[in-house]
PDB file of all heavy atoms in Angstrom:
ATOM      1  N   PRO A 102      34.582 -67.655 -97.563  1.00 98.00           N
ATOM      2  CA  PRO A 102      33.074 -67.847 -97.442  1.00 98.00           C
ATOM      3  C   PRO A 102      32.648 -68.870 -96.491  1.00 98.00           C
ATOM      4  O   PRO A 102      33.424 -69.799 -96.180  1.00 98.00           O
ATOM      5  CB  PRO A 102      32.848 -68.145 -98.967  1.00 98.00           C
ATOM      6  CG  PRO A 102      34.026 -68.910 -99.412  1.00 98.00           C
ATOM      7  CD  PRO A 102      35.145 -68.249 -98.707  1.00 98.00           C
ATOM      8  N   CYS A 103      31.364 -68.805 -96.180  1.00 98.00           N
ATOM      9  CA  CYS A 103      30.784 -69.915 -95.406  1.00 98.00           C
ATOM     10  C   CYS A 103      30.889 -71.235 -96.274  1.00 98.00           C
ATOM     11  O   CYS A 103      31.453 -72.158 -95.848  1.00 98.00           O
ATOM     12  CB  CYS A 103      29.333 -69.656 -95.163  1.00 98.00           C
ATOM     13  SG  CYS A 103      28.419 -70.907 -94.179  1.00 98.00           S
ATOM     14  N   SER A 104      30.335 -71.131 -97.503  1.00 98.00           N
ATOM     15  CA  SER A 104      30.438 -72.356 -98.347  1.00 98.00           C
ATOM     16  C   SER A 104      31.204 -72.044 -99.627  1.00 98.00           C
ATOM     17  O   SER A 104      31.209 -70.996-100.159  1.00 98.00           O
ATOM     18  CB  SER A 104      29.011 -72.700 -99.027  1.00 98.00           C
ATOM     19  OG  SER A 104      28.143 -72.964 -97.894  1.00 98.00           O
ATOM     20  N   ARG A 127      39.176 -70.269 -95.234  1.00 98.00           N
ATOM     21  CA  ARG A 127      38.148 -71.251 -94.869  1.00 98.00           C
ATOM     22  C   ARG A 127      37.190 -71.352 -95.906  1.00 98.00           C
ATOM     23  O   ARG A 127      36.897 -70.375 -96.795  1.00 98.00           O
ATOM     24  CB  ARG A 127      37.475 -70.747 -93.533  1.00 98.00           C
ATOM     25  CG  ARG A 127      36.776 -69.381 -93.635  1.00 98.00           C
ATOM     26  CD  ARG A 127      35.541 -69.365 -92.783  1.00 98.00           C
ATOM     27  NE  ARG A 127      34.446 -70.142 -93.270  1.00 98.00           N
ATOM     28  CZ  ARG A 127      33.667 -70.899 -92.632  1.00 98.00           C
ATOM     29  NH1 ARG A 127      33.710 -70.893 -91.301  1.00 98.00           N
ATOM     30  NH2 ARG A 127      32.770 -71.587 -93.168  1.00 98.00           N
ATOM     31  N   GLY A 128      36.426 -72.443 -95.987  1.00 98.00           N
ATOM     32  CA  GLY A 128      35.323 -72.637 -96.911  1.00 98.00           C
ATOM     33  C   GLY A 128      34.734 -74.047 -96.716  1.00 98.00           C
ATOM     34  O   GLY A 128      35.490 -75.025 -96.708  1.00 98.00           O
ATOM     35  N   GLY A 129      33.459 -74.133 -96.654  1.00 98.00           N
ATOM     36  CA  GLY A 129      32.799 -75.392 -96.444  1.00 98.00           C
ATOM     37  C   GLY A 129      32.491 -76.058 -97.682  1.00 98.00           C
ATOM     38  O   GLY A 129      31.900 -75.549 -98.603  1.00 98.00           O
ATOM     39  N   PHE A 131      31.328 -79.493 -97.229  1.00 98.00           N
ATOM     40  CA  PHE A 131      30.225 -80.309 -96.630  1.00 98.00           C
ATOM     41  C   PHE A 131      29.661 -79.500 -95.616  1.00 98.00           C
ATOM     42  O   PHE A 131      30.182 -79.063 -94.566  1.00 98.00           O
ATOM     43  CB  PHE A 131      30.773 -81.602 -96.010  1.00 98.00           C
ATOM     44  CG  PHE A 131      31.382 -82.530 -96.967  1.00 98.00           C
ATOM     45  CD1 PHE A 131      32.809 -82.476 -97.277  1.00 98.00           C
ATOM     46  CD2 PHE A 131      30.676 -83.425 -97.616  1.00 98.00           C
ATOM     47  CE1 PHE A 131      33.348 -83.267 -98.313  1.00 98.00           C
ATOM     48  CE2 PHE A 131      31.163 -84.351 -98.553  1.00 98.00           C
ATOM     49  CZ  PHE A 131      32.527 -84.375 -98.877  1.00 98.00           C
ATOM     50  N   LYS A 132      28.319 -79.148 -95.821  1.00 98.00           N
ATOM     51  CA  LYS A 132      27.727 -78.009 -94.958  1.00 98.00           C
ATOM     52  C   LYS A 132      26.688 -78.728 -94.023  1.00 98.00           C
ATOM     53  O   LYS A 132      25.831 -79.395 -94.506  1.00 98.00           O
ATOM     54  CB  LYS A 132      27.003 -76.982 -95.720  1.00 98.00           C
ATOM     55  CG  LYS A 132      28.017 -76.084 -96.562  1.00 98.00           C
ATOM     56  CD  LYS A 132      29.022 -75.442 -95.755  1.00 98.00           C
ATOM     57  CE  LYS A 132      28.479 -74.533 -94.513  1.00 98.00           C
ATOM     58  NZ  LYS A 132      29.627 -73.990 -93.766  1.00 98.00           N
ATOM     59  N   PRO A 133      26.732 -78.419 -92.693  1.00 97.00           N
ATOM     60  CA  PRO A 133      25.815 -79.012 -91.819  1.00 97.00           C
ATOM     61  C   PRO A 133      24.614 -78.082 -91.742  1.00 97.00           C
ATOM     62  O   PRO A 133      24.519 -77.058 -91.072  1.00 97.00           O
ATOM     63  CB  PRO A 133      26.456 -79.082 -90.463  1.00 97.00           C
ATOM     64  CG  PRO A 133      27.501 -77.852 -90.602  1.00 97.00           C
ATOM     65  CD  PRO A 133      27.721 -77.721 -92.074  1.00 97.00           C
ATOM     66  N   ARG A 134      23.480 -78.339 -92.434  1.00 96.00           N
ATOM     67  CA  ARG A 134      22.382 -77.404 -92.605  1.00 96.00           C
ATOM     68  C   ARG A 134      21.161 -77.900 -91.716  1.00 96.00           C
ATOM     69  O   ARG A 134      21.032 -79.128 -91.600  1.00 96.00           O
ATOM     70  CB  ARG A 134      21.974 -77.208 -93.993  1.00 96.00           C
ATOM     71  CG  ARG A 134      23.060 -76.829 -94.995  1.00 96.00           C
ATOM     72  CD  ARG A 134      23.787 -75.602 -94.545  1.00 96.00           C
ATOM     73  NE  ARG A 134      22.875 -74.405 -94.430  1.00 96.00           N
ATOM     74  CZ  ARG A 134      22.522 -73.722 -95.459  1.00 96.00           C
ATOM     75  NH1 ARG A 134      22.989 -73.882 -96.672  1.00 96.00           N
ATOM     76  NH2 ARG A 134      21.656 -72.636 -95.285  1.00 96.00           N
ATOM     77  N   GLU A 165      35.417 -78.104 -93.173  1.00 98.00           N
ATOM     78  CA  GLU A 165      34.659 -79.020 -92.230  1.00 98.00           C
ATOM     79  C   GLU A 165      34.567 -80.482 -92.596  1.00 98.00           C
ATOM     80  O   GLU A 165      34.314 -80.715 -93.829  1.00 98.00           O
ATOM     81  CB  GLU A 165      33.280 -78.411 -91.910  1.00 98.00           C
ATOM     82  CG  GLU A 165      32.450 -79.262 -90.917  1.00 98.00           C
ATOM     83  CD  GLU A 165      31.299 -78.556 -90.294  1.00 98.00           C
ATOM     84  OE1 GLU A 165      31.174 -77.377 -90.507  1.00 98.00           O
ATOM     85  OE2 GLU A 165      30.534 -79.249 -89.585  1.00 98.00           O
ATOM     86  N   GLN A 183      38.194 -79.176 -89.850  1.00 98.00           N
ATOM     87  CA  GLN A 183      37.293 -78.490 -88.966  1.00 98.00           C
ATOM     88  C   GLN A 183      36.110 -79.343 -88.430  1.00 98.00           C
ATOM     89  O   GLN A 183      35.496 -79.956 -89.144  1.00 98.00           O
ATOM     90  CB  GLN A 183      36.681 -77.224 -89.669  1.00 98.00           C
ATOM     91  CG  GLN A 183      36.075 -76.219 -89.012  1.00 98.00           C
ATOM     92  CD  GLN A 183      35.813 -75.035 -89.726  1.00 98.00           C
ATOM     93  OE1 GLN A 183      36.705 -74.526 -90.509  1.00 98.00           O
ATOM     94  NE2 GLN A 183      34.739 -74.513 -89.734  1.00 98.00           N
ATOM     95  N   ILE A 184      35.945 -79.378 -87.058  1.00 98.00           N
ATOM     96  CA  ILE A 184      34.782 -80.087 -86.553  1.00 98.00           C
ATOM     97  C   ILE A 184      33.911 -78.960 -86.150  1.00 98.00           C
ATOM     98  O   ILE A 184      34.069 -78.134 -85.409  1.00 98.00           O
ATOM     99  CB  ILE A 184      35.243 -80.806 -85.288  1.00 98.00           C
ATOM    100  CG1 ILE A 184      36.310 -81.800 -85.563  1.00 98.00           C
ATOM    101  CG2 ILE A 184      33.937 -81.556 -84.709  1.00 98.00           C
ATOM    102  CD1 ILE A 184      35.909 -83.152 -86.157  1.00 98.00           C
ATOM    103  N   GLY A 185      32.673 -78.992 -86.773  1.00 98.00           N
ATOM    104  CA  GLY A 185      31.702 -77.977 -86.488  1.00 98.00           C
ATOM    105  C   GLY A 185      30.934 -78.117 -85.185  1.00 98.00           C
ATOM    106  O   GLY A 185      31.036 -79.188 -84.518  1.00 98.00           O
ATOM    107  N   SER A 186      30.250 -76.987 -84.895  1.00 98.00           N
ATOM    108  CA  SER A 186      29.513 -77.006 -83.606  1.00 98.00           C
ATOM    109  C   SER A 186      28.586 -78.234 -83.379  1.00 98.00           C
ATOM    110  O   SER A 186      28.536 -78.796 -82.307  1.00 98.00           O
ATOM    111  CB  SER A 186      28.632 -75.683 -83.657  1.00 98.00           C
ATOM    112  OG  SER A 186      28.083 -75.406 -82.470  1.00 98.00           O
ATOM    113  N   ARG A 187      27.940 -78.551 -84.375  1.00 98.00           N
ATOM    114  CA  ARG A 187      26.913 -79.617 -84.334  1.00 98.00           C
ATOM    115  C   ARG A 187      27.611 -81.009 -83.996  1.00 98.00           C
ATOM    116  O   ARG A 187      26.909 -81.949 -83.599  1.00 98.00           O
ATOM    117  CB  ARG A 187      26.050 -79.775 -85.508  1.00 98.00           C
ATOM    118  CG  ARG A 187      25.155 -78.607 -85.657  1.00 98.00           C
ATOM    119  CD  ARG A 187      24.790 -78.257 -87.058  1.00 98.00           C
ATOM    120  NE  ARG A 187      24.082 -76.899 -87.127  1.00 98.00           N
ATOM    121  CZ  ARG A 187      24.718 -75.817 -87.111  1.00 98.00           C
ATOM    122  NH1 ARG A 187      26.032 -75.747 -87.030  1.00 98.00           N
ATOM    123  NH2 ARG A 187      23.985 -74.686 -87.115  1.00 98.00           N
ATOM    124  N   ASN A 188      28.835 -81.157 -84.404  1.00 98.00           N
ATOM    125  CA  ASN A 188      29.622 -82.431 -84.197  1.00 98.00           C
ATOM    126  C   ASN A 188      30.675 -82.459 -83.109  1.00 98.00           C
ATOM    127  O   ASN A 188      31.463 -83.352 -83.034  1.00 98.00           O
ATOM    128  CB  ASN A 188      30.253 -82.864 -85.484  1.00 98.00           C
ATOM    129  CG  ASN A 188      29.316 -83.525 -86.470  1.00 98.00           C
ATOM    130  OD1 ASN A 188      28.703 -84.438 -86.078  1.00 98.00           O
ATOM    131  ND2 ASN A 188      29.329 -83.124 -87.678  1.00 98.00           N
ATOM    132  N   LYS A 208      35.235 -76.584 -83.045  1.00 98.00           N
ATOM    133  CA  LYS A 208      34.346 -75.548 -82.638  1.00 98.00           C
ATOM    134  C   LYS A 208      33.566 -75.997 -81.478  1.00 98.00           C
ATOM    135  O   LYS A 208      33.084 -77.142 -81.380  1.00 98.00           O
ATOM    136  CB  LYS A 208      33.486 -75.083 -83.899  1.00 98.00           C
ATOM    137  CG  LYS A 208      34.355 -74.550 -85.055  1.00 98.00           C
ATOM    138  CD  LYS A 208      33.589 -74.075 -86.196  1.00 98.00           C
ATOM    139  CE  LYS A 208      33.241 -72.512 -85.874  1.00 98.00           C
ATOM    140  NZ  LYS A 208      32.477 -71.861 -87.088  1.00 98.00           N
ATOM    141  N   ARG A 209      33.186 -75.003 -80.676  1.00 98.00           N
ATOM    142  CA  ARG A 209      32.441 -75.322 -79.510  1.00 98.00           C
ATOM    143  C   ARG A 209      30.886 -75.670 -79.879  1.00 98.00           C
ATOM    144  O   ARG A 209      30.319 -74.909 -80.664  1.00 98.00           O
ATOM    145  CB  ARG A 209      32.447 -74.060 -78.563  1.00 98.00           C
ATOM    146  CG  ARG A 209      31.469 -74.298 -77.276  1.00 98.00           C
ATOM    147  CD  ARG A 209      31.744 -73.095 -76.273  1.00 98.00           C
ATOM    148  NE  ARG A 209      30.984 -73.233 -75.172  1.00 98.00           N
ATOM    149  CZ  ARG A 209      30.993 -72.239 -74.168  1.00 98.00           C
ATOM    150  NH1 ARG A 209      31.595 -71.148 -74.431  1.00 98.00           N
ATOM    151  NH2 ARG A 209      30.143 -72.380 -73.182  1.00 98.00           N
ATOM    152  N   GLY A 210      30.409 -76.690 -79.305  1.00 98.00           N
ATOM    153  CA  GLY A 210      28.983 -76.984 -79.573  1.00 98.00           C
ATOM    154  C   GLY A 210      28.147 -75.895 -79.051  1.00 98.00           C
ATOM    155  O   GLY A 210      28.478 -75.247 -77.953  1.00 98.00           O
ATOM    156  N   PHE A 211      26.995 -75.572 -79.674  1.00 98.00           N
ATOM    157  CA  PHE A 211      26.218 -74.376 -79.254  1.00 98.00           C
ATOM    158  C   PHE A 211      25.497 -74.590 -77.897  1.00 98.00           C
ATOM    159  O   PHE A 211      24.994 -73.753 -77.262  1.00 98.00           O
ATOM    160  CB  PHE A 211      25.339 -73.773 -80.234  1.00 98.00           C
ATOM    161  CG  PHE A 211      24.507 -74.790 -81.109  1.00 98.00           C
ATOM    162  CD1 PHE A 211      23.537 -75.491 -80.460  1.00 98.00           C
ATOM    163  CD2 PHE A 211      24.834 -74.963 -82.415  1.00 98.00           C
ATOM    164  CE1 PHE A 211      22.770 -76.456 -81.211  1.00 98.00           C
ATOM    165  CE2 PHE A 211      24.019 -75.906 -83.144  1.00 98.00           C
ATOM    166  CZ  PHE A 211      23.005 -76.641 -82.498  1.00 98.00           C
ATOM    167  N   CYS A 236      37.857 -73.392 -80.782  1.00 98.00           N
ATOM    168  CA  CYS A 236      37.141 -72.187 -81.346  1.00 98.00           C
ATOM    169  C   CYS A 236      35.755 -71.856 -80.628  1.00 98.00           C
ATOM    170  O   CYS A 236      34.938 -72.760 -80.612  1.00 98.00           O
ATOM    171  CB  CYS A 236      36.857 -72.439 -82.865  1.00 98.00           C
ATOM    172  SG  CYS A 236      36.077 -71.014 -83.609  1.00 98.00           S
ATOM    173  N   GLU A 237      35.774 -70.697 -80.024  1.00 98.00           N
ATOM    174  CA  GLU A 237      34.455 -70.210 -79.468  1.00 98.00           C
ATOM    175  C   GLU A 237      33.692 -69.609 -80.548  1.00 98.00           C
ATOM    176  O   GLU A 237      34.152 -68.740 -81.269  1.00 98.00           O
ATOM    177  CB  GLU A 237      34.843 -69.154 -78.377  1.00 98.00           C
ATOM    178  CG  GLU A 237      33.674 -68.284 -77.936  1.00 98.00           C
ATOM    179  CD  GLU A 237      32.542 -69.103 -77.404  1.00 98.00           C
ATOM    180  OE1 GLU A 237      32.690 -70.060 -76.646  1.00 98.00           O
ATOM    181  OE2 GLU A 237      31.366 -68.775 -77.794  1.00 98.00           O
ATOM    182  N   ARG A 238      32.418 -70.106 -80.719  1.00 98.00           N
ATOM    183  CA  ARG A 238      31.594 -69.588 -81.873  1.00 98.00           C
ATOM    184  C   ARG A 238      30.204 -69.204 -81.421  1.00 98.00           C
ATOM    185  O   ARG A 238      29.203 -69.208 -82.273  1.00 98.00           O
ATOM    186  CB  ARG A 238      31.543 -70.587 -83.008  1.00 98.00           C
ATOM    187  CG  ARG A 238      31.242 -72.035 -82.528  1.00 98.00           C
ATOM    188  CD  ARG A 238      29.786 -72.315 -82.319  1.00 98.00           C
ATOM    189  NE  ARG A 238      28.994 -72.342 -83.604  1.00 98.00           N
ATOM    190  CZ  ARG A 238      27.754 -72.060 -83.614  1.00 98.00           C
ATOM    191  NH1 ARG A 238      27.089 -71.730 -82.411  1.00 98.00           N
ATOM    192  NH2 ARG A 238      27.000 -72.180 -84.728  1.00 98.00           N
ATOM    193  N   GLY A 239      30.014 -69.101 -80.092  1.00 98.00           N
ATOM    194  CA  GLY A 239      28.700 -68.656 -79.609  1.00 98.00           C
ATOM    195  C   GLY A 239      27.868 -69.833 -79.210  1.00 98.00           C
ATOM    196  O   GLY A 239      28.027 -70.939 -79.716  1.00 98.00           O
ATOM    197  N   ARG A 248      21.818 -64.412 -83.164  1.00 96.00           N
ATOM    198  CA  ARG A 248      21.766 -65.864 -83.591  1.00 96.00           C
ATOM    199  C   ARG A 248      22.302 -66.648 -82.466  1.00 96.00           C
ATOM    200  O   ARG A 248      21.788 -67.738 -82.186  1.00 96.00           O
ATOM    201  CB  ARG A 248      22.710 -66.078 -84.841  1.00 96.00           C
ATOM    202  CG  ARG A 248      22.576 -67.501 -85.379  1.00 96.00           C
ATOM    203  CD  ARG A 248      23.344 -67.647 -86.687  1.00 96.00           C
ATOM    204  NE  ARG A 248      23.372 -69.030 -87.126  1.00 96.00           N
ATOM    205  CZ  ARG A 248      24.052 -69.462 -88.164  1.00 96.00           C
ATOM    206  NH1 ARG A 248      24.595 -68.637 -89.022  1.00 96.00           N
ATOM    207  NH2 ARG A 248      23.960 -70.729 -88.415  1.00 96.00           N
ATOM    208  N   ASN A 249      23.345 -66.331 -81.803  1.00 98.00           N
ATOM    209  CA  ASN A 249      23.880 -67.054 -80.702  1.00 98.00           C
ATOM    210  C   ASN A 249      24.486 -65.967 -79.739  1.00 98.00           C
ATOM    211  O   ASN A 249      24.372 -64.777 -80.070  1.00 98.00           O
ATOM    212  CB  ASN A 249      25.131 -67.900 -81.110  1.00 98.00           C
ATOM    213  CG  ASN A 249      24.648 -69.050 -81.894  1.00 98.00           C
ATOM    214  OD1 ASN A 249      24.165 -70.019 -81.493  1.00 98.00           O
ATOM    215  ND2 ASN A 249      25.045 -69.078 -83.226  1.00 98.00           N
ATOM    216  N   ASP A 270      35.193 -67.069 -83.375  1.00 98.00           N
ATOM    217  CA  ASP A 270      34.293 -66.897 -84.653  1.00 98.00           C
ATOM    218  C   ASP A 270      33.246 -65.963 -84.301  1.00 98.00           C
ATOM    219  O   ASP A 270      32.084 -66.389 -83.810  1.00 98.00           O
ATOM    220  CB  ASP A 270      33.887 -68.282 -85.021  1.00 98.00           C
ATOM    221  CG  ASP A 270      32.742 -68.206 -86.151  1.00 98.00           C
ATOM    222  OD1 ASP A 270      32.385 -67.098 -86.596  1.00 98.00           O
ATOM    223  OD2 ASP A 270      32.359 -69.245 -86.619  1.00 98.00           O
ATOM    224  N   HIS A 273      29.531 -66.439 -86.518  1.00 98.00           N
ATOM    225  CA  HIS A 273      28.414 -67.280 -86.038  1.00 98.00           C
ATOM    226  C   HIS A 273      28.085 -66.915 -84.632  1.00 98.00           C
ATOM    227  O   HIS A 273      26.923 -67.090 -84.147  1.00 98.00           O
ATOM    228  CB  HIS A 273      28.829 -68.788 -86.065  1.00 98.00           C
ATOM    229  CG  HIS A 273      28.975 -69.302 -87.475  1.00 98.00           C
ATOM    230  ND1 HIS A 273      30.283 -69.158 -88.208  1.00 98.00           N
ATOM    231  CD2 HIS A 273      28.164 -69.777 -88.379  1.00 98.00           C
ATOM    232  CE1 HIS A 273      30.115 -69.717 -89.342  1.00 98.00           C
ATOM    233  NE2 HIS A 273      28.769 -70.137 -89.527  1.00 98.00           N
ATOM    234  N   GLY A 274      29.017 -66.194 -83.987  1.00 98.00           N
ATOM    235  CA  GLY A 274      28.765 -65.876 -82.541  1.00 98.00           C
ATOM    236  C   GLY A 274      27.641 -64.901 -82.379  1.00 98.00           C
ATOM    237  O   GLY A 274      26.899 -65.059 -81.441  1.00 98.00           O
ATOM    238  N   MET A 297      38.104 -66.100 -86.807  1.00 98.00           N
ATOM    239  CA  MET A 297      37.536 -66.728 -88.020  1.00 98.00           C
ATOM    240  C   MET A 297      36.297 -65.898 -88.395  1.00 98.00           C
ATOM    241  O   MET A 297      35.425 -65.797 -87.721  1.00 98.00           O
ATOM    242  CB  MET A 297      37.150 -68.150 -87.803  1.00 98.00           C
ATOM    243  CG  MET A 297      36.650 -68.866 -88.994  1.00 98.00           C
ATOM    244  SD  MET A 297      35.950 -70.437 -88.679  1.00 98.00           S
ATOM    245  CE  MET A 297      37.356 -71.492 -89.379  1.00 98.00           C
ATOM    246  N   GLU A 299      33.669 -64.871 -91.726  1.00 98.00           N
ATOM    247  CA  GLU A 299      33.165 -65.135 -92.969  1.00 98.00           C
ATOM    248  C   GLU A 299      33.075 -63.879 -93.893  1.00 98.00           C
ATOM    249  O   GLU A 299      32.495 -62.863 -93.479  1.00 98.00           O
ATOM    250  CB  GLU A 299      31.797 -65.863 -92.921  1.00 98.00           C
ATOM    251  CG  GLU A 299      31.866 -67.260 -92.451  1.00 98.00           C
ATOM    252  CD  GLU A 299      30.589 -68.049 -92.420  1.00 98.00           C
ATOM    253  OE1 GLU A 299      29.482 -67.561 -92.564  1.00 98.00           O
ATOM    254  OE2 GLU A 299      30.635 -69.247 -91.988  1.00 98.00           O
ATOM    255  N   SER A 309      24.873 -69.919 -98.418  1.00 96.00           N
ATOM    256  CA  SER A 309      24.582 -70.107 -96.898  1.00 96.00           C
ATOM    257  C   SER A 309      25.172 -68.877 -96.297  1.00 96.00           C
ATOM    258  O   SER A 309      26.129 -68.280 -96.551  1.00 96.00           O
ATOM    259  CB  SER A 309      25.223 -71.441 -96.431  1.00 96.00           C
ATOM    260  OG  SER A 309      26.632 -71.405 -96.631  1.00 96.00           O
ATOM    261  N   ASP A 310      24.515 -68.495 -95.096  1.00 95.00           N
ATOM    262  CA  ASP A 310      24.988 -67.509 -94.231  1.00 95.00           C
ATOM    263  C   ASP A 310      25.334 -66.148 -94.831  1.00 95.00           C
ATOM    264  O   ASP A 310      26.221 -65.369 -94.277  1.00 95.00           O
ATOM    265  CB  ASP A 310      26.260 -67.971 -93.447  1.00 95.00           C
ATOM    266  CG  ASP A 310      25.846 -68.966 -92.354  1.00 95.00           C
ATOM    267  OD1 ASP A 310      24.583 -69.101 -92.041  1.00 95.00           O
ATOM    268  OD2 ASP A 310      26.736 -69.644 -91.733  1.00 95.00           O
ATOM    269  N   GLN A 313      25.226 -62.942 -92.643  1.00 96.00           N
ATOM    270  CA  GLN A 313      26.329 -62.587 -91.792  1.00 96.00           C
ATOM    271  C   GLN A 313      27.663 -62.484 -92.313  1.00 96.00           C
ATOM    272  O   GLN A 313      28.681 -62.482 -91.633  1.00 96.00           O
ATOM    273  CB  GLN A 313      26.295 -63.673 -90.536  1.00 96.00           C
ATOM    274  CG  GLN A 313      26.582 -65.056 -91.060  1.00 96.00           C
ATOM    275  CD  GLN A 313      26.479 -66.079 -89.968  1.00 96.00           C
ATOM    276  OE1 GLN A 313      25.696 -65.947 -89.015  1.00 96.00           O
ATOM    277  NE2 GLN A 313      27.275 -67.140 -90.002  1.00 96.00           N
TER     278      GLN A 313
HETATM  279  C1  PEP B 401      31.056 -72.827 -90.232  1.00 69.48           C
HETATM  280  O1  PEP B 401      32.134 -72.376 -89.691  1.00 69.48           O
HETATM  281  O2  PEP B 401      30.875 -72.769 -91.450  1.00 69.48           O
HETATM  282  C2  PEP B 401      30.071 -73.507 -89.414  1.00 69.48           C
HETATM  283  C3  PEP B 401      29.077 -74.306 -89.985  1.00 69.48           C
HETATM  284  O3  PEP B 401      30.090 -73.159 -88.120  1.00 69.48           O
HETATM  285  P1  PEP B 401      29.520 -73.806 -86.810  1.00 69.48           P
HETATM  286  O4  PEP B 401      29.874 -75.285 -86.913  1.00 69.48           O
HETATM  287  O5  PEP B 401      30.242 -73.041 -85.749  1.00 69.48           O
HETATM  288  O6  PEP B 401      27.988 -73.593 -86.901  1.00 69.48           O
END
Side-chain angles (χ1 to χ4, degrees):
C103 180
S104 301
R127 60 145 291 140
F131 295 91
K132 294 304 301 177
R134 306 305 300 278
E165 180 162 353
Q183 191 169 314
I184 304 276
S186 191
R187 291 151 192 82
N188 273 311
K208 299 189 84 174
R209 180 175 178 185
F211 47 67
C236 181
E237 164 58 41
R238 51 77 72 204
R248 180 174 177 183
N249 290 289
D270 168 358
H273 295 86
M297 181 187 257
E299 288 183 354
S309 62
D310 285 350
Q313 61 185 31

